[in-house]
């Protein structure tokens, strides 16, 4: 997938669209040199343009399954240094390094679409070398995991250990979270609908329906039906009281039953599935040359 960072700084609100894989290493893009979209020079120019934004409000639309942690941290720091009011909006599969950028929002402004899925996991790399070199890479991976967890913790106000535990699920591949689970975990602030408005939860919908019912019959929560109330054409006063009591009990039971959606481990691909070793990249190149002969 191509990587693109588009900046539209018009009408006082700067829109930044971050799509595709973040910071794709240039050597992964073998097809046509002119089609390469994530060279260091192009990425550096995008970060520079973000750092030079002069707008009171910035909206960052994120549609990405992740990419390079270092590049995501650079984008995160460039955004937080702007001093603007920043809103991050996550759509579709938002995963891995993309979730780091999402943490750059102003307090309470980390939005996630009601149709999105959210994934955090332990850092991944491909490497070769002797035991000492591999040991050094392990050290870097552990330090990277700690740094990522610290970014999540700083925004949520929760211990970094909570996020390290979540990242470590499924042998470090993490688990896809529903929007509600992402909010409950402290990774997002609000679930939004297609129009960008806060999406009401099932529990709130049930509660609102119950409140509307009470208003229609002229009662507030906890009040009893008046003794002189006209009889309903369908139910006696006793039947109405019993129906209202059961409705209230149903609302309480529904509130107790509502829990985060449980998803199967690895039911969707993580960014780590895209990593290839140097040998695999070389074999791919050889195969392309042979096909062109």
């Amino acid at each position: 997938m191509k990587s693109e960072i588009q900046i539209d700084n018009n009408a006082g609100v700067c829109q930044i669209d971050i799509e595709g894989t973040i910071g794709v290493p240039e050597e992964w893009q073998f097809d046509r040199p002119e089609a390469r979209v994530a060279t260091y020079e192009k990425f550096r120019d995008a970060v520079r343009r973000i750092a030079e934004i002069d707008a009171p409000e910035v909206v960052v639309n994120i549609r990405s399954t992740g990419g390079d942690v270092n590049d995501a941290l650079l984008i995160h720091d460039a955004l937080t240094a702007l001093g603007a009011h920043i809103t991050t909006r996550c759509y579709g599969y938002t995963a891995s390094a993309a979730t780091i950028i999402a943490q750059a929002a102003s307090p309470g402004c980390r939005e996630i679409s009601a149709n999105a899925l959210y994934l955090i996991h332990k850092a991944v790399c491909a490497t070769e070398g002797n035991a000492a070199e591999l040991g050094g890479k392990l050290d870097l991976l552990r330090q990277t995991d700690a740094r990522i967890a610290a970014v999540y913790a700083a925004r949520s106000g929760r211990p970094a250990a909570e996020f390290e535990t979540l990242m470590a699920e499924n042998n470090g591949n993490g688990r896809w979270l529903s929007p509600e689970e992402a909010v409950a975990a402290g990774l997002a602030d609000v679930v939004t609908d297609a129009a960008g408005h806060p999406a009401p939860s099932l529990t709130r919908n049930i509660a609102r329906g119950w409140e509307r019912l009470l208003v229609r019959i002229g009662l507030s929560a906890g009040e009893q039906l008046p003794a002189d109330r006209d009889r309903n054409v369908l139910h006696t006063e006793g039947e109405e009281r019993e129906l209202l009591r059961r409705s209230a009990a149903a609302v309480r039971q529904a509130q107790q039953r509502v829990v985060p959606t449980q998803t199967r481990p690895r039911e969707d691909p993580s960014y780590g599935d895209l990593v290839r070793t140097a040998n695999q990249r070389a074999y791919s190149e050889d195969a392309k040359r042979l096909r062109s002969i």
Side-chain angles (χ1 to χ4, degrees), residues 120-153:
I120 66 174
H121 62 84
K122 284 186 170 292
V124 176
C125 77
T127 187
E128 295 177 339
N130 57 37
E133 291 172 318
L134 294 178
K137 287 293 184 180
L138 286 174
D139 215 21
L140 176 60
L141 286 172
R142 294 189 183 103
Q143 290 283 2
T144 302
D145 291 337
R147 175 49 43 209
I148 295 171
V151 171
Y152 299 141

Side-chain angles (χ1 to χ4, degrees), residues 36-240:
R36 295 181 180 179
V37 296
T39 63
Y40 177 73
E41 290 75 13
K42 185 166 184 178
F43 176 78
R44 182 176 58 185
D45 178 64
V47 174
R48 177 188 58 76
R49 287 185 289 123
I50 291 174
E52 292 176 353
I53 289 172
D54 183 15
E57 186 172 353
V58 176
V59 176
V60 185
N61 300 303
I62 303 172
R63 307 175 187 88
S64 171
T65 54
D68 190 277
V69 174
N70 181 51
D71 293 344
L73 287 170
L74 289 174
I75 296 173
H76 173 279
D77 291 349
L79 288 169
T80 56
L82 290 177
H85 182 272
I86 298 174
T87 300
T88 57
R89 294 173 177 166
C90 297
Y91 301 92
Y93 285 175
T94 300
S96 193
T99 66
I100 296 173
I101 298 174
Q103 307 307 309
S106 300
C109 296
R110 296 172 300 168
E111 299 180 2
I112 180 171
S113 166
N115 298 315
L117 286 173
Y118 204 92
L119 172 71
I120 66 174
H121 62 84
K122 284 186 170 292
V124 176
C125 77
T127 187
E128 295 177 339
N130 57 37
E133 291 172 318
L134 294 178
K137 287 293 184 180
L138 286 174
D139 215 21
L140 176 60
L141 286 172
R142 294 189 183 103
Q143 290 283 2
T144 302
D145 291 337
R147 175 49 43 209
I148 295 171
V151 171
Y152 299 141
R155 285 309 315 276
S156 68
R158 301 181 183 184
E162 288 188 15
F163 299 100
E164 291 179 349
T165 299
L166 190 58
M167 292 159 63
E169 289 192 28
N170 296 318
N171 295 320
N173 291 297
R175 174 169 57 86
W176 288 94
L177 305 176
S178 70
E180 292 76 15
E181 287 177 307
V183 171
L187 293 163
D189 296 311
V190 61
V191 180
T192 61
D193 60 17
H197 303 127
S201 67
L202 173 62
T203 303
R204 287 203 300 273
N205 279 338
I206 294 173
R208 287 171 182 170
W210 168 239
E211 289 168 0
R212 287 194 294 269
L213 173 62
L214 290 175
V215 169
R216 280 200 297 270
I217 63 176
L219 292 176
S220 60
E223 279 190 291
Q224 296 293 322
L225 284 168
D228 59 350
R229 186 181 186 280
D230 292 337
R231 178 175 176 175
N232 187 288
V233 295
L234 297 178
H235 303 290
T236 65
E237 290 184 4
E239 289 172 336
E240 282 191 358

